[in-house]
Amino acid sequence: MAEELGRRLGTAVDPDRELLLAPGSQAGLFATLAALVSPGDTVALLDPDYLFSERILRLLGAHVHHVPLVPDPAGGGPDGGGPDGGLVPDLDELAAALRGGASAVLFSHPNNPTGAVYPPGVLAAIAALVREHDACAVVDELYARLVYDAPLPRLAAEPGMRGRCATVTGPSKTESLSGYRLGVVVAPPDVVDGAEDVLAAMSLRAPAYAQHLLTRWLRDDEDFVQGRLAELRGLREQTAAWLAEAADLGLRARGGPRPPGTAYLFVDASALGVPDHVLADRLVREAGVLVSPGYQFGPRGIGSFRVCYARDEAVWAAALGRMTAALRTLAR
C-alpha cells in the first residue's frame, strides 16, 4: 500500500515510519491533529471546509484563523473564477495567518463542502508559504479519487513538503467501504509516532480483519472506481439541471453547478432569507432529503446547504422535485 500511495502522492512513502492505519479517516484526522496541535496554537483553516475540522481544533484548545475561499482570480467565469465559478484559498489571508503565528494549515482537497479542486499553482503557493514560515500542513484527501476531469494536484508532492505535510485518506467514500472503519495517514515519522500514541489510547488499532482489504485497495478496483465516476457524473448533471430550473428562487452553487470533485453541491440559499437550520429542517420534513446546514462548515458557509447527489438516479429525480416544492413554500 505504501508503494501505491507513494505513486499517487508523488513522493516515496516509508511503510515502517511514514504510514499509519486508523479506524476510519476521522480517527486518522483526529490523531494527526492531536499529534501536531497544542493548546494555544493557531491553525489556519480554509473556510468553508469539512465540518468536523474546526470542532477537532477547538477540542484540542487551538485558535482557528479562517482563510476564506474566493473566486479564482485566474478564471473568467460568471463569478470571476473559472468557467463554473471555481474557488481557491485567499493566499493573502493565508500568508497573514502564517505571519501572525499559525503553526499549521488544514484543509480538505477536494474541498468538502464545495467540491473545489485547487489548481497546481495554488498548491505550489500554499507549499511555498508553509516552507517560508516553517509551518506544517494537514490535507484531508478522502475524496481524492472522486475527481471528474483532471488529476488531483497533491500538496505532499511539492518540493520540501515530505517532512511538513500529513495526508489523510481512506476507502470510505468513492469505494463505499465506510463500514470497515479504515483510515490511512501518510506523514513524517514524528507525526506518525505521535498519532500512533493517540490511537493506542483511543481505539488500539484499525480492525485487523478489515486491514486485509487495503492490500487490494488502489490496485484492483480501478474499473469499479471509473464506473462509479461515470454514474456520479450523470447525477451531477441531473443536479445542475435542477439548480438551473430553480434559479428563480435565487439559488446558486458556491463554486459552480458542476464541482470538479466530491459528490456534493454547496447551494447558496441566502436569497430565501431563512436560517440554515430552519431550511435544513424543512427539507428533511417536507422533502425527505437530509442536507447539511452551511453554518457547520464555517462562517462563509452561512446561508448555504450541502446536498449529496450520490443516490439512485430515479430516486434522486423525485427527491429533487420535492426539494423544489419545499423551497418554494419557504420563498413565499
Short mmCIF file of all heavy atoms in Angstrom, two decimals, residues 137-164:
data_model
loop_
_atom_site.label_atom_id
_atom_site.label_comp_id
_atom_site.label_asym_id
_atom_site.label_seq_id
_atom_site.Cartn_x
_atom_site.Cartn_y
_atom_site.Cartn_z
N ALA A 137 1.44 21.25 7.26
CA ALA A 137 0.12 21.21 6.64
C ALA A 137 -0.50 19.84 6.84
O ALA A 137 0.19 18.82 6.84
CB ALA A 137 0.22 21.52 5.15
N VAL A 138 -1.82 19.83 7.02
CA VAL A 138 -2.60 18.59 7.08
C VAL A 138 -3.67 18.69 5.99
O VAL A 138 -4.45 19.64 5.96
CB VAL A 138 -3.26 18.39 8.45
CG1 VAL A 138 -4.11 17.11 8.46
CG2 VAL A 138 -2.20 18.33 9.55
N VAL A 139 -3.68 17.71 5.09
CA VAL A 139 -4.62 17.70 3.97
C VAL A 139 -5.52 16.47 4.07
O VAL A 139 -5.03 15.35 4.09
CB VAL A 139 -3.88 17.70 2.62
CG1 VAL A 139 -4.88 17.89 1.48
CG2 VAL A 139 -2.82 18.79 2.57
N ASP A 140 -6.81 16.71 4.14
CA ASP A 140 -7.80 15.64 4.16
C ASP A 140 -8.15 15.32 2.71
O ASP A 140 -8.86 16.07 2.06
CB ASP A 140 -9.03 16.12 4.94
CG ASP A 140 -10.17 15.12 4.92
OD1 ASP A 140 -10.05 14.06 4.28
OD2 ASP A 140 -11.21 15.42 5.54
N GLU A 141 -7.64 14.20 2.19
CA GLU A 141 -7.84 13.83 0.79
C GLU A 141 -8.79 12.63 0.66
O GLU A 141 -8.61 11.77 -0.20
CB GLU A 141 -6.51 13.53 0.11
CG GLU A 141 -5.64 14.75 -0.09
CD GLU A 141 -4.47 14.50 -1.02
OE1 GLU A 141 -4.27 13.34 -1.45
OE2 GLU A 141 -3.73 15.45 -1.31
N LEU A 142 -9.80 12.59 1.50
CA LEU A 142 -10.72 11.47 1.49
C LEU A 142 -11.43 11.32 0.14
O LEU A 142 -11.81 10.21 -0.25
CB LEU A 142 -11.74 11.63 2.62
CG LEU A 142 -12.61 10.42 2.92
CD1 LEU A 142 -11.77 9.18 3.24
CD2 LEU A 142 -13.56 10.72 4.06
N TYR A 143 -11.59 12.43 -0.59
CA TYR A 143 -12.27 12.39 -1.88
C TYR A 143 -11.29 12.47 -3.05
O TYR A 143 -11.67 12.86 -4.15
CB TYR A 143 -13.29 13.54 -1.97
CG TYR A 143 -14.43 13.40 -1.00
CD1 TYR A 143 -14.35 13.97 0.28
CD2 TYR A 143 -15.57 12.68 -1.32
CE1 TYR A 143 -15.39 13.83 1.19
CE2 TYR A 143 -16.61 12.54 -0.41
CZ TYR A 143 -16.51 13.12 0.83
OH TYR A 143 -17.54 12.97 1.73
N ALA A 144 -10.05 12.09 -2.83
CA ALA A 144 -9.02 12.24 -3.86
C ALA A 144 -9.33 11.46 -5.14
O ALA A 144 -8.91 11.86 -6.22
CB ALA A 144 -7.66 11.81 -3.31
N ARG A 145 -10.06 10.37 -5.02
CA ARG A 145 -10.37 9.57 -6.21
C ARG A 145 -11.70 10.00 -6.84
O ARG A 145 -12.05 9.50 -7.91
CB ARG A 145 -10.45 8.09 -5.85
CG ARG A 145 -9.17 7.56 -5.23
CD ARG A 145 -9.26 6.08 -4.94
NE ARG A 145 -8.96 5.27 -6.11
CZ ARG A 145 -9.10 3.95 -6.17
NH1 ARG A 145 -9.60 3.32 -5.12
NH2 ARG A 145 -8.78 3.28 -7.24
N LEU A 146 -12.41 10.91 -6.17
CA LEU A 146 -13.68 11.36 -6.70
C LEU A 146 -13.49 12.73 -7.34
O LEU A 146 -14.00 13.74 -6.88
CB LEU A 146 -14.74 11.40 -5.59
CG LEU A 146 -16.15 10.99 -6.00
CD1 LEU A 146 -17.06 10.86 -4.79
CD2 LEU A 146 -16.74 11.93 -7.02
N VAL A 147 -12.69 12.74 -8.41
CA VAL A 147 -12.40 13.94 -9.19
C VAL A 147 -12.72 13.61 -10.63
O VAL A 147 -12.30 12.57 -11.15
CB VAL A 147 -10.92 14.36 -9.02
CG1 VAL A 147 -10.60 15.56 -9.89
CG2 VAL A 147 -10.63 14.68 -7.56
N TYR A 148 -13.45 14.49 -11.31
CA TYR A 148 -14.07 14.13 -12.58
C TYR A 148 -13.21 14.37 -13.82
O TYR A 148 -13.24 13.57 -14.74
CB TYR A 148 -15.40 14.88 -12.73
CG TYR A 148 -16.40 14.52 -11.68
CD1 TYR A 148 -16.58 15.33 -10.56
CD2 TYR A 148 -17.14 13.35 -11.77
CE1 TYR A 148 -17.50 14.99 -9.57
CE2 TYR A 148 -18.05 13.00 -10.79
CZ TYR A 148 -18.23 13.83 -9.69
OH TYR A 148 -19.12 13.48 -8.71
N ASP A 149 -12.50 15.47 -13.88
CA ASP A 149 -11.96 15.88 -15.17
C ASP A 149 -10.44 15.93 -15.27
O ASP A 149 -9.91 15.91 -16.37
CB ASP A 149 -12.53 17.26 -15.54
CG ASP A 149 -14.06 17.24 -15.56
OD1 ASP A 149 -14.62 16.31 -16.16
OD2 ASP A 149 -14.67 18.13 -14.96
N ALA A 150 -9.73 16.03 -14.17
CA ALA A 150 -8.28 16.16 -14.22
C ALA A 150 -7.69 15.56 -12.95
O ALA A 150 -8.36 15.51 -11.91
CB ALA A 150 -7.87 17.63 -14.35
N PRO A 151 -6.45 15.08 -13.01
CA PRO A 151 -5.84 14.51 -11.79
C PRO A 151 -5.77 15.55 -10.67
O PRO A 151 -5.65 16.75 -10.91
CB PRO A 151 -4.43 14.12 -12.26
CG PRO A 151 -4.53 14.00 -13.74
CD PRO A 151 -5.56 15.00 -14.17
N LEU A 152 -5.87 15.07 -9.45
CA LEU A 152 -5.82 15.95 -8.29
C LEU A 152 -4.37 16.33 -7.98
O LEU A 152 -3.55 15.44 -7.74
CB LEU A 152 -6.44 15.25 -7.08
CG LEU A 152 -6.51 16.08 -5.80
CD1 LEU A 152 -7.65 17.08 -5.90
CD2 LEU A 152 -6.71 15.17 -4.59
N PRO A 153 -4.02 17.63 -7.97
CA PRO A 153 -2.67 18.01 -7.53
C PRO A 153 -2.49 17.68 -6.06
O PRO A 153 -3.40 17.84 -5.26
CB PRO A 153 -2.65 19.53 -7.78
CG PRO A 153 -3.83 19.84 -8.63
CD PRO A 153 -4.84 18.79 -8.34
N ARG A 154 -1.32 17.21 -5.68
CA ARG A 154 -1.07 16.77 -4.31
C ARG A 154 -0.06 17.67 -3.62
O ARG A 154 1.05 17.90 -4.13
CB ARG A 154 -0.56 15.33 -4.28
CG ARG A 154 -1.27 14.35 -5.19
CD ARG A 154 -2.77 14.32 -4.99
NE ARG A 154 -3.27 13.35 -4.06
CZ ARG A 154 -3.70 12.14 -4.42
NH1 ARG A 154 -3.65 11.72 -5.66
NH2 ARG A 154 -4.19 11.33 -3.49
N LEU A 155 -0.42 18.17 -2.45
CA LEU A 155 0.48 19.04 -1.70
C LEU A 155 1.73 18.29 -1.27
O LEU A 155 2.83 18.85 -1.25
CB LEU A 155 -0.24 19.60 -0.47
CG LEU A 155 0.52 20.67 0.31
CD1 LEU A 155 0.69 21.93 -0.52
CD2 LEU A 155 -0.18 21.00 1.62
N ALA A 156 1.60 17.01 -0.96
CA ALA A 156 2.76 16.23 -0.49
C ALA A 156 3.84 16.13 -1.55
O ALA A 156 5.01 15.89 -1.22
CB ALA A 156 2.30 14.84 -0.08
N ALA A 157 3.48 16.31 -2.83
CA ALA A 157 4.45 16.20 -3.91
C ALA A 157 5.25 17.48 -4.13
O ALA A 157 6.23 17.48 -4.89
CB ALA A 157 3.74 15.82 -5.21
N GLU A 158 4.83 18.58 -3.52
CA GLU A 158 5.54 19.84 -3.71
C GLU A 158 6.92 19.77 -3.05
O GLU A 158 7.11 19.11 -2.04
CB GLU A 158 4.73 20.99 -3.11
CG GLU A 158 3.45 21.30 -3.84
CD GLU A 158 3.68 21.78 -5.26
OE1 GLU A 158 4.66 22.54 -5.47
OE2 GLU A 158 2.90 21.40 -6.15
N PRO A 159 7.90 20.46 -3.62
CA PRO A 159 9.27 20.43 -3.08
C PRO A 159 9.30 20.81 -1.60
O PRO A 159 8.65 21.77 -1.17
CB PRO A 159 10.01 21.46 -3.93
CG PRO A 159 9.26 21.51 -5.22
CD PRO A 159 7.82 21.28 -4.85
N GLY A 160 10.03 20.03 -0.82
CA GLY A 160 10.22 20.33 0.59
C GLY A 160 9.05 20.01 1.48
O GLY A 160 9.08 20.31 2.68
N MET A 161 8.00 19.35 0.94
CA MET A 161 6.80 19.12 1.76
C MET A 161 6.73 17.73 2.37
O MET A 161 5.89 17.48 3.24
CB MET A 161 5.54 19.36 0.91
CG MET A 161 5.32 20.83 0.56
SD MET A 161 5.22 21.91 2.01
CE MET A 161 3.71 21.36 2.76
N ARG A 162 7.60 16.83 1.97
CA ARG A 162 7.51 15.48 2.52
C ARG A 162 7.63 15.49 4.05
O ARG A 162 6.95 14.74 4.74
CB ARG A 162 8.60 14.59 1.91
CG ARG A 162 8.54 13.15 2.42
CD ARG A 162 9.55 12.27 1.74
NE ARG A 162 9.50 10.90 2.26
CZ ARG A 162 10.29 9.93 1.87
NH1 ARG A 162 11.21 10.16 0.92
NH2 ARG A 162 10.19 8.71 2.40
N GLY A 163 8.49 16.33 4.57
CA GLY A 163 8.67 16.41 6.02
C GLY A 163 7.76 17.39 6.71
O GLY A 163 7.86 17.59 7.93
N ARG A 164 6.83 18.01 5.95
CA ARG A 164 5.96 19.04 6.52
C ARG A 164 4.48 18.76 6.30
O ARG A 164 3.64 19.52 6.79
CB ARG A 164 6.27 20.41 5.91
CG ARG A 164 7.66 20.93 6.19
CD ARG A 164 7.85 22.30 5.55
NE ARG A 164 9.16 22.85 5.84
CZ ARG A 164 9.48 23.52 6.93
NH1 ARG A 164 8.55 23.73 7.84
NH2 ARG A 164 10.69 23.97 7.12
#
